[in-house]
Amino acid sequence: MFELYLLTFNCARELVNPQSLAPSFFDALPEGAPVPDLVAVSLQEISPIAYSFLGGPYLKPYFDRITTTVQLAADLRSNGSEELEHIATRSLGMTGLMIFAKNQFARRIQWIQSAGAGVGFANMGNKGAVAMRVGISCPNSADTLNLAFTAAHLAPMESNISARNKDWENLVRNLVFLNGDDSAYSSSEERPLLASPAEAPVDHNGLFEAGSHIFFYGDLNYRTHDAPPGPDDHKTYPQPTPSEASSTHYFQLLKDDQLTREKDANRTLHGLREHPITFPPTYKYAVPKDPGANPVQRSVAEAEEQWKWSKHRYPSWCDRILFSQFGSESQLKPQKYTALPVQPTSDHRPVALSLRVEDKPTSSRLDDVRSQPPFPINPDWRARRDAARRWEVIVGVLSYFGLTGEGNAILVALVGTVLGSLWLVSWFRT
């Protein structure tokens, strides 16, 4: 068995503060548990849209903050005796996926395949998913244990239930895993020593593949009501209370969770399950900017004493972690599923899940969903992806010049240069 840790966080287009997030990063570990062997972090709204769509060096500062957070968290958890190394990062638009591992476990990673699909306007990556399938060597076996991690961000707003279900369908149809994918849809800050192409597995498979575990997690955006709140509804929003019978206990909202309803009706996230929720809603918080001497510590502490909600959105469990669970004796043993404290940079709470994983190749039966996916792969997935990427570059460039300070400065300089050149030309002519 090895220890797997999953965390999802909507960063709200802000740089993460490692000093705030790292102390609670491993809150989903059982008491006394060591630093996990493998950590996979799902990120949404990593940065402003210009940086996300342009990618590359524009995203590096944002990913570097996550790397610092994970490494600081490992240091705090182990009193400096354990480290987690960055294995790979992939991004699609505003969604990212980062994998970390202990050094000795990293040597067991044989290969990584990547996939990405947007579901935003014109299939761009303001919403969508990015995924990595990782092959891990197993003791006493020539086969690998295959784990497919998918970071996702689905359609927003209370009433967009069918849109979220359709996003799920489009992701199943268009997430196609490739070996050595160096397209703009997947990038890596580092590349581990992996199997040579001749040893890599067959690619062009979808999310549902026989013999592969699936982890689908992120800001899935399912809400607790089908319409926005009225002007006075915020007065009944949940607050910290030990009594589940209280009208302000969050369990009163959980019974109306859209994701549970849609899954039970077999309209979304087919074949995946979720560990029981025992934590408060993860969205939408209104954490004020604190002008005090230590704004991070004070704002986080105050948020735990009283939940400060945005009045125009119902508190909901938008941030979720689901996984495949097939047969009566699953190789995946969930340990703890929880929300981390409110972070001063985001209106979402991070959510984390720890699991123990039996490290042997998984098998699948003909009657499980991995062998019979709910939707077939779109034969035009590559053309769809390439067209979306072209739109992302256009939108990214326009957003950079129109919405960022450095872009504004460059644009002003260019306009000034052109106008100056025209003036000089006219002066010489006269």
Side-chain angles (χ1 to χ4, degrees), residues 47 51-52 54-64 187 189 406:
S47 70
Y51 301 153
S52 292
L54 293 175
Y58 295 100
L59 279 176
K60 189 176 187 303
Y62 295 86
F63 286 129
D64 284 350
S187 60
E189 303 299 329
E406 61 266 37

Side-chain angles (χ1 to χ4, degrees), residues 60-80:
K60 189 176 187 303
Y62 295 86
F63 286 129
D64 284 350
R65 288 290 188 97
I66 300 298
T67 298
T68 299
T69 299
V70 172
Q71 293 174 343
L72 177 58
D75 186 70
L76 292 171
R77 183 77 185 185
S78 66
N79 294 317

Side-chain angles (χ1 to χ4, degrees), residues 14 68 93 163 168 174 242 279 282 408 411:
E14 297 283 349
T68 299
W168 160 251
N174 293 286
F279 50 85
T282 62
N408 291 166
L411 190 60

Side-chain angles (χ1 to χ4, degrees), residues 10-22:
N10 184 313
C11 303
R13 311 185 188 196
E14 297 283 349
L15 288 162
V16 167
N17 188 317
Q19 300 301 321
S20 172
L21 182 54

